Amino acid sequence: MIRFEHIFVGLVMLIGVPLWSQVDNTPAQPEQAGPADNSSSSEINDTRMQAPPLVSGQAYPVELTSQERSNYLRGGVAFTTAYSDNVLGSVEEHPVSDVSYSVAPVVALDTTTPREHLVLTYAPGFTFYQRTSARNEADQNAAIEFQYRLSPHVTFSARDGFQKSSSVFNQPDLTSTGGVSGGAEGTNFSVIAPIADRLSNSGNVGLNYQFSLNGMIGASGTFSNLHYPNPSQVPGLFDSSSQAGLAFYSLRIAKKHYFGVTYQYQRLLSYPTGGQNETQTHAVFAFYTVYPAKGFSISFFGGPQHSDTVLVSPVLHLQQWTPAGGASLGWQGLWNSFAISYMHVVSSGGGLVGAVQSDSASASVLQRFTKSLNASLAGGYAQNNVLGGSVIGVSNGHSISGTASLGQQFGQHLSVQLGYTRIHQDYSSVAVLALTPDTNREFVGLSYQFARPLGR
């Protein structure tokens, strides 16, 4: 059984609580004169290179550009009612529908100094079902995001996120346009058990060193854990975990263009009944990122990836070389933002019996029509081919998901959100999904939020 030893303090947020870790992708400007430690923040930013999305370990920024200061205590509460046509994920042929009611308070501390930026967020939640009361759940969502400038040219960053929930829909701000990753480090969450008890924990630690005006090296490590406390709710899905490390070299050309190379190692584990399946990968990628304008970036990466897979039942040892690569694009403005990415890589199975060769694409759009009215669209597609699946009798499959929502702000603190989510999954070897592959959910949410400045 997976133990969650990395659980932290903090949380993933509700509507309207921005995460600082989704960094500005604006290209750095030529270096300014003056002592680095005593220079203004604008001078520091002018000399500092960006870590491109391909190697930063962060998702693309999804909030609209804001002039709001960072030192805030934020809080609020959200009430949501939803109708779902598949609340049990049953192995029976006919899905069960129900209405749910959720309440989710949130508190977040966002502080900034000349050297560091810290966001701590915590949001418990409570969900009640009208008929299937056995699925009533108390949720826990927490996160920490931290960045510290050790010197004018060395930056340390860390993040960690934990969720305890009975429903994938109870993630805070699920309907936002978040979750589009720019690189190959992201965890595979494309296989979805819509309503099932689950614990998940993921994090990233990184260190970047800008050794010259246009040169940067860095390294990062990531981990993730997925645990289903009640396996009877998810027949055909299994616990999993992963660890990964990455090192990179990046060269900036003419302020807007970044070229580089990265090495990545992964250890991908799954825990089917009676054993442990393991895949280790090594990959070398070349990458290129261009920043055509402020808040706008385009990235590409590609190279060879070697995988070494050991399965326990039946016993199988498989080694192979495969091409890997991807592309991504992100834009963040005052009235709209969008991000899109595609990747072809070996990644964790996300609950499947082993690691997979994954072809995945995700996209998100956020549009503000007026100061108080906005709409968002988010969706994803993933084809997951289990490594060695044809030998052990496991069928491949794919997932398609999408959410559309409309939000209206009333005054400074109150907002209403309407939305629709659809999930379709085709995995004939996963009993919990084989006979009930579709989930449709309509929801209405009412939220109250506030922000109090800290200090002067």
Side-chain angles (χ1 to χ4, degrees):
M1 177 178 294
I2 298 172
R3 294 182 301 171
F4 291 83
E5 299 172 348
H6 304 281
I7 300 176
F8 45 73
V9 191
L11 135 155
V12 185
M13 294 152 311
L14 284 171
I15 298 170
V17 185
L19 286 177
W20 67 270
S21 67
Q22 298 168 330
V23 296
D24 182 8
N25 287 327
T26 307
Q29 301 298 320
E31 185 172 3
Q32 304 292 325
D37 281 345
N38 297 322
S39 62
S40 70
S41 60
S42 62
E43 288 173 328
I44 292 171
N45 289 333
D46 285 344
T47 63
R48 191 180 306 164
M49 290 177 62
Q50 300 291 326
L54 295 168
V55 297
S56 68
Q58 309 290 349
Y60 274 103
V62 295
E63 292 83 12
L64 301 178
T65 301
S66 173
Q67 304 301 319
E68 189 177 34
R69 54 180 284 184
S70 297
N71 290 306
Y72 267 83
L73 174 67
R74 309 177 193 276
V77 61
F79 301 92
T80 303
T81 181
Y83 170 81
S84 174
D85 63 1
N86 183 14
V87 298
L88 291 181
S90 173
V91 295
E92 299 177 1
E93 185 175 355
H94 302 289
V96 175
S97 61
D98 203 352
V99 176
S100 64
Y101 308 93
S102 300
V103 56
V106 59
V107 61
L109 178 67
D110 185 341
T111 65
T112 300
T113 71
R115 282 181 174 266
E116 71 176 46
H117 196 157
L118 173 68
V119 177
L120 298 172
T121 324
Y122 173 63
F126 307 91
T127 300
F128 308 93
Y129 291 89
Q130 194 172 82
R131 292 184 294 158
T132 52
S133 58
R135 291 297 175 93
N136 292 350
E137 174 74 11
D139 304 315
Q140 300 291 336
N141 299 277
I144 181 172
E145 307 273 349
F146 179 69
Q147 186 177 49
Y148 186 75
R149 186 167 57 87
L150 298 170
S151 76
H153 305 292
V154 180
T155 302
F156 170 81
S157 62
R159 63 178 177 85
D160 196 32
F162 170 77
Q163 287 188 341
K164 173 184 177 293
S165 177
S166 66
S167 170
V168 68
F169 302 113
N170 289 344
Q171 298 178 40
D173 203 13
L174 177 72
T175 58
S176 75
T177 55
V180 177
S181 174
E185 285 189 283
T187 303
N188 183 2
F189 288 126
S190 61
V191 183
I192 302 169
I195 309 295
D197 295 337
R198 65 193 295 269
L199 299 174
S200 63
N201 186 204
S202 63
N204 172 274
V205 176
L207 187 68
N208 297 333
Y209 169 48
Q210 185 177 345
F211 60 87
S212 69
L213 178 63
N214 294 307
M216 174 182 283
I217 58 174
S220 64
T222 63
F223 72 90
S224 68
N225 292 309
L226 173 64
H227 174 51
Y228 294 107
N230 190 349
S232 64
Q233 295 178 350
V234 288
L237 294 179
F238 308 97
D239 294 349
S240 64
S241 65
S242 67
Q243 301 89 42
L246 179 146
F248 74 90
Y249 167 79
S250 179
L251 177 66
R252 179 174 59 189
I253 305 295
K255 297 190 297 185
K256 294 183 178 182
H257 303 271
Y258 286 66
F259 296 88
V261 62
T262 179
Y263 164 76
Q264 182 197 58
Y265 166 79
Q266 294 182 110
R267 183 170 182 252
L268 312 172
L269 304 173
S270 60
Y271 305 92
T273 304
Q276 171 183 294
N277 294 333
E278 179 176 346
T279 295
Q280 297 187 42
T281 73
H282 302 268
V284 177
F285 299 134
F287 68 85
Y288 166 67
T289 296
V290 60
Y291 298 95
K294 183 178 180 180
F296 186 23
S297 70
I298 304 172
S299 298
F300 304 90
F301 75 93
Q305 186 173 34
H306 179 265
S307 60
D308 187 340
T309 300
V310 177
L311 305 180
V312 295
S313 180
V315 176
L316 174 66
H317 188 191
L318 173 67
Q319 297 189 60
Q320 61 181 3
W321 284 95
T322 55
S328 58
L329 178 152
W331 159 259
Q332 184 184 31
L334 285 171
W335 288 90
N336 50 54
S337 70
F338 64 89
I340 184 171
S341 72
Y342 166 78
M343 284 182 288
H344 173 81
V345 295
V346 174
S347 68
S348 62
L352 297 178
V353 71
V356 300
Q357 179 70 63
S358 174
D359 284 277
S360 61
S362 57
S364 64
V365 179
L366 176 61
Q367 177 67 53
R368 177 188 291 169
F369 300 109
T370 69
K371 290 185 177 181
S372 60
L373 180 65
N374 65 79
S376 67
L377 290 171
Y381 169 84
Q383 173 69 41
N384 293 305
N385 300 330
V386 176
L387 299 182
S390 60
V391 177
I392 63 177
V394 175
S395 300
N396 301 321
H398 65 266
S399 304
I400 304 173
S401 61
T403 295
S405 67
L406 185 68
Q408 175 68 52
Q409 188 81 21
F410 296 95
Q412 187 176 358
H413 303 290
L414 194 65
S415 63
V416 173
Q417 190 175 43
L418 309 175
Y420 168 73
T421 297
R422 176 171 172 80
I423 301 173
H424 171 76
Q425 300 179 96
D426 183 5
Y427 295 95
S428 59
S429 299
V430 180
V432 71
L433 303 176
L435 296 180
T436 54
D438 300 318
T439 299
N440 296 280
R441 182 176 184 264
E442 300 84 28
F443 60 90
V444 178
L446 175 68
S447 64
Y448 172 85
Q449 54 200 16
F450 68 87
R452 297 287 183 267
L454 301 174
R456 294 182 295 175

